[in-house]
Amino acid sequence: MNRTVRVLTTAFALAALLGTAGCADNGGTAAGASSSDGQLTVGDQAKTLQTLVKASGVLKGSKYGVKWAEFQGAAPLFQAVQAGAADTSYSADLPSLQALSGGVRVKNVAALKNDGSHVGIVVKKDSAVRSVADLKGKKVVVSSAKGSISEYLLANALQQAGLSYSDVTVQYLLPTDAQAAFASGKVDVWATFGVYQAVALQQGGRLLIDGNDGRISGYGFIGASDKALADKGKRAALTDFLGRLSKALAWGRSHPEEYAAAIRKDTGASPAIAKTLATTAYGEVLPITPDVTKAVQKVADTMHGIKVLDPNVEVADSVDASLFTK
């Protein structure tokens, strides 16, 4: 199992390193597009959107080109948006909030949604921790860094259990390091996400709670730079792209085996890991409504309250809801 994690991490890191060297079409240019039709540089993380869009074929017939800007995580992606090297961003709610708090000139233009089950707090199978209340006085490893979606799950779960964040001792570890420590028994409680959560459970871990039932918002965002939004051609291309992305996500939901196969092909992931990634991905694109901003504002306020997000963000002020309607 350790080999599985290493192979997956290496594959994702390689994709990211290739992406940070520059933008590449990689088969993503829309069929029939010419240089006069314009081009949209779409920011992505570890080929997540590119794999889905390519496998679903939704760009066929579009009148603009798509160039993919690939990065390992949200932070370098938002740096690229700030520098004008990418027109769009793609991230979970908290990285978007951090970028806005840090002054990145970006607007959220569409929401992404899943059930939150891809984020969880895992304990050893024989752990005495049976509820969130039992975490008081314990050390909790959080992946991957301060301000991650895993940390929000922990903070919100503690709050719901009547505890404060200071009631636990938080240690930040990269997912691969945390996985090794958890497998060896050096870590008893681990707040993690995605494939790492799946591997921990396969290795005999026990799920204490996950992000379902509103413990995390479940929202992510597609953002666009202020510069791209001010460009009439890019704005029109982005509006069209969001509609096609919605169709791609619908394809992913209805073709889980084909989607998992595409993930395996593009990343080198094992069949089990590819299935996990396919089934826990964002399932739909939504307009950013007041309900969305309210849910994400709770994330912002909670993280500001534990001094992770500073200054705080008014989510509604960073939205351009005119590009995507459904």
Side-chain angles (χ1 to χ4, degrees):
M1 192 60 65
N2 289 342
R3 182 179 179 277
T4 299
V5 175
R6 287 198 301 272
V7 169
L8 179 63
T9 304
T10 301
F12 275 14
L14 178 59
L17 287 171
L18 291 173
T20 55
C23 301
D25 287 328
N26 294 327
T29 301
S34 67
S35 60
S36 61
D37 292 321
Q39 183 165 268
L40 192 66
T41 302
V42 178
D44 197 7
Q45 296 186 48
K47 290 190 175 182
T48 303
L49 296 181
Q50 182 180 174
T51 295
L52 176 64
V53 167
K54 184 173 66 173
S56 61
V58 295
L59 284 181
K60 292 178 181 178
S62 65
K63 297 181 179 180
Y64 53 92
V66 168
K67 182 180 281 189
W68 296 96
E70 299 286 348
F71 298 92
Q72 186 175 10
L77 171 51
F78 279 110
Q79 290 171 2
V81 171
Q82 182 80 328
D87 295 320
T88 70
S89 60
Y90 157 65
S91 76
D93 53 10
L94 191 48
S96 175
L97 293 171
Q98 290 177 307
L100 292 165
S101 178
V104 177
R105 299 182 65 81
V106 65
K107 291 285 194 303
N108 292 321
V109 296
L112 303 165
K113 181 65 174 172
N114 60 25
D115 65 6
S117 62
H118 66 296
V119 183
I121 299 176
V122 182
V123 298
K124 299 300 292 183
K125 192 172 185 179
D126 58 355
S127 173
V129 175
R130 295 287 168 177
S131 68
V132 174
D134 293 335
L135 293 176
K136 186 172 183 178
K138 302 290 186 182
K139 181 176 78 172
V140 181
V141 165
V142 170
S143 291
S144 56
K146 192 171 186 177
S148 72
I149 191 66
S150 304
E151 186 168 25
Y152 174 70
L153 171 62
L154 175 62
N156 193 37
L158 289 170
Q159 188 179 76
Q160 290 179 346
L163 299 177
S164 68
Y165 205 61
S166 60
D167 285 325
V168 300
T169 300
V170 172
Q171 179 183 1
Y172 302 103
L173 281 178
L174 291 173
T176 49
D177 294 334
Q179 186 273 328
F182 187 81
S184 68
K186 295 178 181 178
V187 169
D188 186 40
V189 186
W190 182 20
T192 187
F193 55 88
V195 62
Y196 302 103
Q197 175 180 311
V199 169
L201 295 175
Q202 289 172 7
Q203 290 180 327
R206 172 166 50 84
L207 185 65
L208 184 66
I209 58 166
D210 63 21
N212 216 327
D213 296 328
R215 294 189 189 94
I216 66 170
S217 77
Y219 288 113
F221 289 115
I222 299 293
S225 69
D226 287 354
K227 183 177 180 181
L229 290 171
D231 183 303
K232 184 177 179 180
K234 287 185 182 293
R235 190 179 180 93
L238 181 54
T239 298
D240 181 79
F241 178 80
L242 291 173
R244 292 174 189 268
L245 179 59
S246 182
K247 293 177 181 178
L249 289 172
W251 176 88
R253 293 195 306 272
S254 61
H255 297 78
E257 294 183 1
E258 291 96 325
Y259 185 18
I263 293 173
R264 289 179 61 191
K265 180 180 178 182
D266 281 5
T267 69
S270 71
I273 296 302
K275 182 179 179 181
T276 295
L277 293 172
T279 55
T280 59
Y282 288 115
E284 56 184 329
V285 184
L286 299 170
I288 303 178
T289 63
D291 285 343
V292 174
T293 58
K294 181 179 179 181
V296 178
Q297 189 64 55
K298 182 180 183 299
V299 177
D301 294 344
T302 298
M303 300 312 280
H304 179 67
I306 62 171
K307 305 186 187 308
V308 169
L309 187 71
D310 190 27
N312 201 359
V313 172
E314 287 297 326
V315 179
D317 293 344
S318 59
V319 169
D320 184 337
S322 65
L323 274 70
F324 184 75
T325 57
K326 193 174 181 180

